[in-house]
Amino acid sequence: MTFQQVYGYEPTVRYSAPGRVNLIGEHTDYNDGYVLPFAIDRRTVASIAQRDDRVLRVASAFDPSSVVELPLDELSPDRMDGWSAYVFGIAWALREHAGADLSDKHGFDVFIESDVPVGAGLSSSAAIECGVALAFNDLWELGLDRKTLARVGQYSENHAVGAPTGIMDQSASLLGEQDAVVFLDCRTLDTAVVDLALEANGLEVLVVDTRVEHAHATGGYKARRDSCEHGAAVMGVEALRDLSVEDLPRAAELLDDETFRRVRHVVTEDQRVLDTVRTLREDGPRAIGDLLVASHESMRDDFEISVPELDLAVSTAMEHGAVGARMTGGGFGGAAIALVDREARGAIAEAVTSAFAAAGYREPTVFTVHAAQGARRD
Ligand code: ADP
Ligand code: MG
């Protein structure tokens, strides 16, 4: 299925944006903390042609039977549902959140294709949002910068789609660079691109998608957020970001055991992100393995968001010589990553697949990702 097959003529431009993997910094975003994602070499492509009228039409290879349309004058969250909200929501958020004047703009025909796996924790949602945001910003000549577009993507996901997510995914998808990570301070929204240098070090990142659905993710995610808020309130800070590891003994005295362990994860995870950035800059990627493993253990034992499949992926990768490994994403399923020597990649992938079979788990999908350039006009 192509733009031509859906609309009967050729598109005039193509924009694309990548999914992302979070190297380290999990459940720190809504605590005003630090994250360290990178854009991956899996992309969502938006093929576009301008229309003469003020109608937006969208179609996706994902759902080729339906073309959905909405006049620009009727943009509003209650006029959007299903996957098309990821596209219409961007136009709406450009107006509502970024103050863009769309009153004299023309519409577009848009066709979406993607090789970012959906729902695997690699943020196919940010890929679609950011590709479309960059395209509309360019084609409507709005002049917004990429950080603003990231906020537009988040605003759309929060209010048009209705998913209460942070700004990490959009920042990675818009600001990512080849063989580099995006260091993001979720309070100030300051970002810095940090060299990952995997290529020069003969390393690769292996993704193990456990294909375990985030079945209880919604309830579990909310419970974790509530614990963090409660912990911050008892400790008298605005967000857990304001605590450091030196505050943990006092936290242990003031908090119940469960809340304390939730807080300890976030506080130590923030420190691990800072340590990872420093280590990457000073000693290179081979030196970050212990930090990745410590992050996994903290999520497994303190934050309690891992599942046996993720633990098995991590322990098997480590037993077979990975430099480091951890679950990535929100938890309760989804994917793990392993930092591996390029030559060891095949053996580690096989070992993980065999271990899953031996344990009676569903066969995982294992593939390599590279840190890639963010959203662009192709
Ligand atoms: P993730 O971001 O982890 O892949 P989400 O649930 O956040 O998972 O986003 C997935 C949703 O994004 C899909 O259910 C769909 O609505 C939308 N989406 C992603 N990619 C596409 C695509 N290529 N075409 C249409 N919709 C898409
Ligand atoms: Mg998503």
Side-chain angles (χ1 to χ4, degrees):
M1 191 48 78
T2 61
F3 183 103
Q4 151 77 32
Q5 284 167 322
V6 173
Y7 296 115
Y9 67 100
E10 290 295 333
T12 50
V13 283
R14 281 200 174 83
Y15 284 79
S16 70
R20 65 96 188 94
V21 158
N22 192 20
L23 183 64
I24 194 164
E26 224 65 77
H27 288 259
T28 46
D29 57 350
Y30 55 81
N31 290 298
D32 275 7
Y34 307 106
V35 294
L36 198 63
F38 61 91
I40 58 174
D41 49 349
R42 299 279 192 123
R43 305 182 75 87
T44 296
V45 180
S47 306
I48 301 178
Q50 184 183 311
R51 294 171 58 86
D52 297 330
D53 59 13
R54 285 179 45 75
V55 172
L56 272 181
R57 286 202 294 180
V58 299
S60 167
F62 191 90
D63 181 16
S65 60
S66 63
V67 179
V68 193
E69 64 174 75
L70 189 63
L72 285 177
D73 297 309
E74 294 171 29
L75 284 173
S76 119
D78 54 24
R79 295 293 314 275
M80 309 168 190
D81 60 0
W83 69 266
S84 62
Y86 287 85
V87 178
F88 294 141
I90 294 296
W92 172 77
L94 284 167
R95 192 186 70 200
E96 290 301 304
H97 187 66
D101 178 5
L102 304 185
S103 63
D104 60 346
K105 307 296 186 200
H106 44 72
F108 303 111
D109 285 341
V110 181
F111 181 72
I112 305 289
E113 286 162 284
S114 182
D115 64 359
V116 186
V118 171
L122 301 182
S123 208
S124 66
S125 55
I128 186 170
E129 289 155 7
C130 295
V132 168
L134 189 71
F136 289 1
N137 179 57
D138 270 7
L139 299 171
W140 280 332
E141 298 180 344
L142 301 177
L144 302 169
D145 64 19
R146 284 179 181 242
K147 285 189 185 182
T148 306
L149 294 179
R151 267 182 261 126
V152 163
Q154 182 196 10
Y155 192 83
S156 170
E157 186 149 347
N158 292 167
H159 302 288
V161 175
T165 51
I167 196 162
M168 166 168 74
D169 300 357
Q170 293 82 5
S171 300
S173 185
L174 280 156
L175 302 172
E177 287 179 20
Q178 202 167 333
D179 212 6
V181 282
V182 178
F183 174 39
L184 171 67
D185 179 331
C186 298
R187 170 170 284 168
T188 62
L189 301 186
D190 283 344
T191 58
V193 174
V194 180
D195 265 352
L196 195 49
L198 295 189
E199 191 105 37
N201 286 277
L203 294 171
E204 284 189 342
V205 173
L206 205 60
V207 175
V208 178
D209 176 6
T210 64
R211 297 162 74 207
V212 175
E213 304 273 341
H214 312 200
H216 306 290
T218 324
Y221 181 83
K222 182 164 188 313
R224 297 306 179 281
R225 285 189 77 135
D226 291 347
S227 288
C228 291
E229 259 179 49
H230 174 60
V234 173
M235 293 297 290
V237 291
E238 191 188 321
L240 294 183
R241 141 68 172 278
D242 298 307
L243 299 178
S244 73
V245 285
E246 282 89 66
D247 296 308
L248 288 176
R250 190 167 61 91
E253 280 170 25
L254 293 177
L255 300 171
D256 64 89
D257 174 63
E258 185 182 282
T259 309
F260 171 65
R261 286 183 297 112
R262 305 299 189 244
V263 167
R264 182 166 61 186
H265 165 70
V266 174
V267 171
T268 58
E269 186 79 351
D270 271 335
Q271 187 60 49
R272 280 186 291 272
V273 175
L274 298 175
D275 291 347
T276 302
V277 168
R278 186 177 34 81
T279 305
L280 282 173
R281 284 175 172 152
E282 291 174 4
D283 307 311
R286 262 182 204 282
I288 68 169
D290 291 347
L291 290 162
L292 300 182
V293 171
S295 169
H296 183 77
E297 288 168 352
S298 176
M299 287 188 282
R300 182 190 65 200
D301 302 334
D302 274 354
F303 221 59
E304 297 182 276
I305 53 172
S306 191
V307 293
E309 289 85 347
L310 289 166
D311 294 338
L312 184 64
V314 168
S315 61
T316 308
M318 292 309 294
E319 280 157 21
H320 288 80
V323 172
R326 60 185 283 277
M327 53 156 285
T328 184
F332 307 101
I337 54 169
L339 183 61
V340 303
D341 274 296
R342 202 179 293 136
E343 296 77 47
R345 178 225 298 150
I348 293 175
E350 265 173 44
V352 170
T353 306
S354 311
F356 271 56
Y361 297 155
R362 193 168 171 200
E363 187 177 351
T365 311
V366 187
F367 52 93
T368 311
V369 291
H370 300 95
Q373 201 195 348
R376 62 174 183 236
R377 180 169 175 154
D378 288 312

